[in-house]
Amino acid sequence: MIEKCFFGNITDEGNSIPVCSYTITSPDRKIEAMVCEYGARLLRLRVSVGGEMRDVVRGFDDLDSYRNADGYFGAIVGRFGNRICRGRFSLDENQYYLYCNDGEHHLHGGKKGFDKKVWSSSEGKDGLSVVFSTVSPDGEEGYPGTLNVSVTYSLTAEEGLKISYEAHTDKKTVIGLTNHAYFNLAGEGYVGDHTVIIDADRYLPTDKGLIPTGELRSVGGTAFDFCSGKKISEALDSNDEDIRIGGGVDHCFVFTVDGDREKSRVTVFSPASDLRMDVFTDRPCVQFYTGNFLGDEKFPFRGGIPQKRRHAFCLETEGMPDAINHKNFINCTLSIGDVWKTETEYRFTAL
């Protein structure tokens, strides 16, 4: 079942643009997702726990908060999710310069990335999905090529939310779309008690600007070893130099290579929350971010809950940050005639 509603207006270059939201509810009413056209954004995700619906995604009550708060809450980010060093890269002997919106670096698409666009929308014929689409013209934010993009949010039979991406270009370009939802399986509060398992044997160390150094480092013996599972607080409380540089965990984890797309790549659970989340994806990496920069008092979370540091976490399935500038990183280019397709599902189980 899908319910479409008016969510608010956005004024852009003197024009007032209406923004709609959609609430998708599963037939058994055990999972419900609310998405909107501004940023093709996930506003809310409620799952059944003990007979009650719990919102496990942090967000706001109104459109203005999503427009003005820092943090990309629930948005599709792109063209390139994560950072590109100094906003520069070379492609086929051409040099490109992107807008630098994170100090001297480019982050999540730039000044007006996909998170700030009003996407076109339509309901899926199955009654359990919503499709968003947009066109990014050649040169937007400095990127080459006109990029046509669609993103579909679907509820699955396994009490999951699946996000499917598809894109094609008329000129070779770089691409790296992802979703920037902030999760808290308890609904609110410090997330340090959440246990996290990540099927990754390497991670990308960064410099002080959170740009990868180029090394693919083994997680063994570091604070980034989540292979067997540990509480988030164990990593945050460690003396690891990379944790100190990032102000917490804000790093790309490289999944072990086994080719099994039906295998959960990330599992999160908290005994206090009675809920487990599994992440299934065909992407090679995940950016695990522990909400280190949350805490803007001007933008409380939905229901007036104060926004506090490390009271939510992100699991952004992706390629490698700054990949275009590292020959040893996973390819992030899209050529004419190719279709960029990927899927990620967040699946929930009550404990």
Side-chain angles (χ1 to χ4, degrees):
M1 181 177 68
I2 299 177
E3 180 182 4
K4 182 179 181 180
C5 295
F6 172 72
F7 190 56
N9 281 308
I10 286 179
T11 301
D12 186 22
E13 298 181 352
N15 298 314
S16 181
I17 305 172
V19 173
C20 292
S21 68
Y22 297 83
T23 300
I24 318 168
T25 306
S26 65
D28 59 8
R29 298 186 178 275
K30 288 187 176 181
I31 184 167
E32 175 188 281
M34 185 178 181
V35 294
C36 85
E37 294 168 324
Y38 181 63
R41 194 176 301 260
L42 176 62
L43 304 177
R44 180 180 297 171
L45 184 60
R46 300 204 307 157
V47 297
S48 178
V49 184
E52 297 183 357
M53 298 297 284
R54 179 185 302 162
D55 190 358
V56 297
V57 165
R58 299 287 73 205
F60 307 111
D61 287 316
D62 57 85
L63 180 58
D64 283 345
S65 294
Y66 283 104
R67 292 192 66 195
N68 297 306
D70 289 333
Y72 305 91
F73 287 88
I76 297 298
V77 294
R79 291 187 190 190
F80 192 86
N82 222 312
R83 293 172 173 86
I84 294 179
C85 183
R86 293 183 174 85
R88 302 175 184 176
F89 65 90
S90 180
L91 188 60
D92 290 346
E93 300 182 355
N94 294 309
Q95 190 72 25
Y96 295 96
Y97 300 89
L98 310 178
Y99 186 90
C100 292
N101 59 318
D102 186 44
E104 61 179 354
H105 305 301
H106 178 85
L107 174 66
H108 290 332
K111 184 178 182 179
K112 189 176 181 181
F114 287 176
D115 61 296
K116 294 179 177 64
K117 286 178 173 287
V118 178
W119 296 53
S120 299
S121 66
S122 61
E123 298 181 17
K125 294 180 180 179
D126 58 2
L128 293 172
S129 61
V130 174
V131 182
F132 295 103
S133 60
T134 192
V135 178
S136 177
D138 182 29
E140 186 173 58
E141 296 296 323
Y143 289 99
T146 297
L147 192 73
N148 286 265
V149 183
S150 68
V151 174
T152 302
Y153 289 92
S154 307
L155 298 186
T156 70
E158 295 79 13
E159 292 184 34
L161 173 69
K162 183 169 66 176
I163 310 176
S164 306
Y165 307 78
E166 185 169 322
H168 58 87
T169 183
D170 64 359
K171 185 178 181 180
K172 192 172 183 180
T173 191
V174 296
I175 188 170
L177 310 180
T178 191
N179 180 272
H180 209 291
Y182 287 77
F183 294 98
N184 186 318
L185 299 191
E188 59 181 282
Y190 177 59
V191 296
D193 68 336
H194 285 55
T195 294
V196 178
I197 304 170
I198 305 178
D199 180 28
D201 52 9
R202 294 170 296 168
Y203 78 100
L204 304 186
T206 68
D207 63 17
K208 293 181 180 180
L210 300 180
I211 297 295
T213 63
E215 178 187 359
L216 279 72
R217 183 179 296 174
S218 171
V219 300
T222 75
F224 298 89
D225 187 354
F226 288 87
C227 293
S228 299
K230 65 183 176 186
K231 290 184 177 180
I232 294 175
S233 60
E234 291 183 51
L236 297 179
D237 295 341
S238 75
N239 294 319
D240 191 291
E241 176 68 7
D242 282 324
I243 294 290
R244 185 190 66 77
I245 290 174
V249 183
D250 191 4
H251 295 77
C252 177
F253 289 74
V254 185
F255 295 134
T256 58
V257 180
D258 59 15
D260 184 3
R261 295 187 181 185
E262 298 303 315
K263 179 180 180 181
S264 174
R265 290 301 201 173
V266 184
T267 297
V268 184
F269 64 89
S270 170
S273 70
D274 297 326
L275 188 64
R276 163 176 167 162
M277 179 174 73
D278 286 287
V279 182
F280 298 82
T281 185
D282 53 15
R283 298 299 282 145
C285 308
V286 65
Q287 183 84 6
F288 179 30
Y289 169 54
T290 51
N292 312 313
F293 300 113
L294 294 177
D296 191 337
E297 295 179 355
K298 300 190 299 295
F299 297 101
F301 289 139
R302 194 162 27 250
I305 297 172
Q307 185 187 142
K308 293 184 179 181
R309 184 172 184 244
R310 296 174 177 170
H311 276 220
F313 61 89
C314 300
L315 292 167
E316 305 155 58
T317 56
E318 61 177 16
M320 293 179 172
D322 199 32
I324 191 63
N325 291 315
H326 298 271
K327 292 182 180 179
N328 61 322
F329 281 11
I330 296 169
N331 177 51
C332 66
T333 62
L334 177 65
S335 297
I336 300 173
D338 293 340
V339 179
W340 191 84
K341 296 181 70 172
T342 182
E343 290 185 346
T344 293
E345 181 181 352
Y346 300 92
R347 193 178 297 176
F348 298 87
T349 306
L351 299 176

